[in-house]
């Protein structure tokens, strides 16, 4: 039988810069340790069993209302980030449990309708909206169970979730892995989806990117992972070398110009639908707080109407947002 203490002893064999669960800065509320799981393993499990994690299944990654079953959702993106991150983490002999927990929780705060929904909510909500900050809010406050407010995760997992994007930077190497592998995952799988949908072809991708990373989806990811591991091995950072990082940015800019902001991947009528649904729902609930669900009404005194409405809409799936819209305003 393997007990928690046995797993903690195994962590002593990790690389010097690895995070160890016994050295965690802890939780906001102290808890009795688990008999079988380390603290980071408990965090991973709490995230997987959360309602916010299940909702990712029905949230857009890039393509709004795709005509096919093989396009990524926010959930499959999350799983791909976790897989790539764990591969890098294992090769560098760092803490896989911490990396996986951060990866699985990093997008819990994403809005319905992908980045289009995020941009609209950022525009209309006082103080703006950023999904990394909302993801932290989900795990610290909004997701509750067993009479506990929030998931009460360890500091290291919360830090990695908040700083997987934005101006901040993770304080652990495991968090740095997720921040970088998030980009590796979405750029590559979005290329895959964009080619499948006919928005771009392989010949559209910059020649230097193809030469450096490869033509096939698996080849590109494999080469990027190898570069990260080789560049970061034995270092106090996790990064690609300068050549790979520069070309990754070229590829990212290409995707923004040709996919993320392209009318080929987001039809004008779909964008108008997203804008109308989110803006009208936001205005409606701000003006009619009594129409909010019971749980949201209970939070009004604590958070104020705008924040509660923002939280409610950000937590919606694509289909639920459209259903609520139609119940209030009729068919779009």
């Amino acid at each position: 039988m393997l007990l928690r203490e046995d797993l903690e002893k195994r962590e002593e064999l990790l690389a010097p810069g690895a995070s160890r669960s016994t050295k965690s800065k802890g939780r906001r509320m102290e808890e009795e340790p688990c008999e079988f799981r380390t603290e980071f393993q408990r965090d991973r499990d709490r995230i997987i069993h959360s309602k916010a994690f299940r909702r990712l299944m029905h949230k857009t990654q890039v393509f709004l209302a795709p005509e096919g079953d093989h396009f990524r959702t926010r959930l499959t993106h999350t799983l791909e980030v976790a897989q790539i991150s764990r591969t890098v983490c294992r090769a560098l002999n760092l803490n896989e449990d911490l990396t996986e927990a951060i990866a699985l929780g990093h997008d819990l705060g994403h809005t319905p309708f992908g980045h289009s929904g995020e941009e609209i909510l950022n525009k209309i909500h006082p103080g703006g909206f950023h999904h990394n900050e909302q993801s932290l809010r989900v795990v610290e406050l909004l997701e509750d169970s067993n009479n506990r407010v929030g998931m009460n995760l360890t500091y290291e997992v919360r830090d990695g979730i908040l700083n997987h994007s934005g101006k901040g930077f993770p304080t652990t190497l495991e968090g740095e892995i997720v921040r970088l592998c998030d980009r590796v995952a979405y750029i590559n799988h979005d290329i895959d989806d964009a080619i499948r949908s006919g928005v771009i072809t392989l010949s559209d991708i910059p020649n230097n990117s193809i030469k450096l990373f490869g033509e096939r989806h698996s080849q590109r990811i494999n080469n990027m992972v190898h570069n990260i591991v080789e560049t970061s091995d034995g270092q106090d950072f996790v990064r690609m070398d300068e050549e790979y990082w520069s070309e990754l940015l070229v590829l990212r800019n290409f995707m923004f110009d040709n996919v993320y902001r392209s009318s080929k991947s987001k039809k004008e009528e779909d964008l108008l639908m997203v804008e109308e649904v989110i803006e009208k729902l936001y205005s409606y609930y701000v003006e009619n707080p009594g129409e909010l669900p019971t749980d949201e009404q209970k939070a009004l005194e604590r958070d104020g109407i705008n924040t509660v409405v923002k939280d409610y809409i950000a937590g919606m799936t694509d289909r639920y947002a459209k259903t609520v819209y139609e119940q209030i305003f009729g068919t779009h």
Side-chain angles (χ1 to χ4, degrees):
M1 180 187 298
L2 277 175
L3 300 177
R4 184 194 75 255
E5 291 89 343
D6 300 313
L7 299 176
E8 291 171 345
K9 288 180 181 178
R10 288 185 177 184
E11 289 184 349
E12 295 175 6
L13 301 176
L14 296 176
S19 299
R20 289 161 173 79
S21 55
T22 55
K23 302 295 184 180
S24 171
K25 292 184 180 180
R27 308 177 188 278
R28 289 187 167 181
M29 295 172 285
E30 290 188 12
E31 299 181 18
E32 287 293 321
C34 177
E35 184 177 4
F36 300 111
R37 298 170 297 165
T38 69
E39 295 305 310
F40 298 147
Q41 289 174 342
R42 296 177 80 186
D43 286 357
R44 175 202 60 201
D45 294 350
R46 288 179 184 181
I47 290 168
I48 289 176
H49 288 282
S50 69
K51 298 185 293 294
F53 185 79
R54 294 194 292 275
R55 291 196 298 268
L56 296 176
M57 178 181 179
H58 298 292
K59 291 194 177 190
T60 290
Q61 173 62 21
V62 172
F63 293 89
L64 299 167
E67 296 178 0
D69 295 331
H70 296 154
F71 292 91
R72 271 76 172 185
T73 65
R74 189 61 57 180
L75 178 60
T76 53
H77 160 72
T78 294
L79 296 176
E80 290 186 37
V81 173
Q83 177 269 312
I84 297 170
S85 296
R86 285 195 61 170
T87 298
V88 172
C89 188
R90 187 182 307 118
L92 293 175
N93 197 27
L94 300 176
N95 197 311
E96 286 187 58
D97 296 322
L98 174 56
T99 293
E100 186 177 30
I102 295 170
L104 293 175
H106 82 281
D107 268 357
L108 293 180
H110 239 298
T111 63
F113 311 116
H115 288 286
S116 299
E118 181 175 14
E119 290 173 2
I120 294 166
L121 204 51
N122 182 51
K123 180 180 68 174
I124 64 177
H125 177 65
F129 179 91
H130 303 285
H131 78 271
N132 59 314
E133 296 174 359
Q134 189 69 15
S135 294
L136 181 64
R137 183 171 172 80
V138 168
V139 301
E140 286 191 337
L141 183 67
L142 301 180
E143 183 79 29
D144 53 17
S145 62
N146 299 323
N147 298 316
R148 181 184 61 227
V149 176
M151 298 186 197
N152 196 31
L153 304 182
T154 58
Y155 167 85
E156 292 77 11
V157 174
R158 290 184 283 117
D159 168 78
I161 288 173
L162 175 63
N163 295 306
H164 83 272
S165 66
K167 296 179 180 179
F169 206 72
T171 61
T172 65
L173 293 176
E174 291 83 2
E176 290 185 32
I177 288 175
V178 175
R179 184 179 174 94
L180 182 52
C181 290
D182 180 32
R183 288 149 180 78
V184 171
Y186 76 69
I187 289 173
N188 282 292
H189 66 50
D190 291 348
I191 288 174
D192 191 44
D193 281 352
I195 291 175
R196 178 180 293 108
S197 69
V199 171
I200 61 172
T201 65
L202 184 62
S203 62
D204 294 324
I205 299 174
N207 288 331
N208 286 340
S209 297
I210 293 294
K211 290 178 182 178
L212 188 62
F213 300 139
E215 291 188 358
R216 292 179 289 108
H217 174 69
S218 59
Q219 187 180 26
R220 289 192 295 271
I221 292 178
N222 186 64
N223 286 336
M224 290 182 188
V225 165
H226 272 264
N227 187 266
I228 295 170
V229 172
E230 291 165 1
T231 305
S232 308
D233 186 32
Q235 306 297 324
D236 60 353
F237 56 74
V238 176
R239 65 181 68 147
M240 293 176 168
D241 67 24
E242 186 174 341
E243 181 184 21
Y244 260 64
W245 178 246
S246 296
E247 197 59 41
L248 187 70
L249 294 180
V250 170
L251 199 53
R252 183 177 183 271
N253 290 335
F254 165 81
M255 291 297 291
F256 269 94
D257 292 339
N258 295 275
V259 178
Y260 302 142
R261 295 178 179 143
S262 171
S263 59
K264 292 182 180 179
S265 61
K266 292 181 173 66
K267 298 178 182 178
E268 185 66 24
E269 57 267 30
D270 289 334
L271 292 174
L272 291 173
M273 177 274 293
V274 172
E275 185 173 13
E276 181 173 339
V277 167
I278 291 183
E279 287 189 352
K280 281 197 170 183
L281 286 178
Y282 189 93
S283 297
Y284 177 81
Y285 284 116
V286 168
E287 295 168 4
N288 301 277
E291 296 299 312
L292 286 164
T294 302
D295 287 344
E296 277 65 31
Q297 290 191 40
K298 292 178 180 178
L300 286 172
E301 184 175 349
R302 180 191 67 196
D303 297 326
I305 183 61
N306 290 95
T307 297
V308 170
V309 171
K310 177 263 295 180
D311 290 342
Y312 182 45
I313 292 176
M316 292 180 173
T317 62
D318 295 23
R319 63 183 185 179
Y320 182 69
K322 287 188 280 190
T323 297
V324 173
Y325 176 92
E326 290 174 0
Q327 290 173 346
I328 298 172
F329 302 106
T331 304
H332 188 274

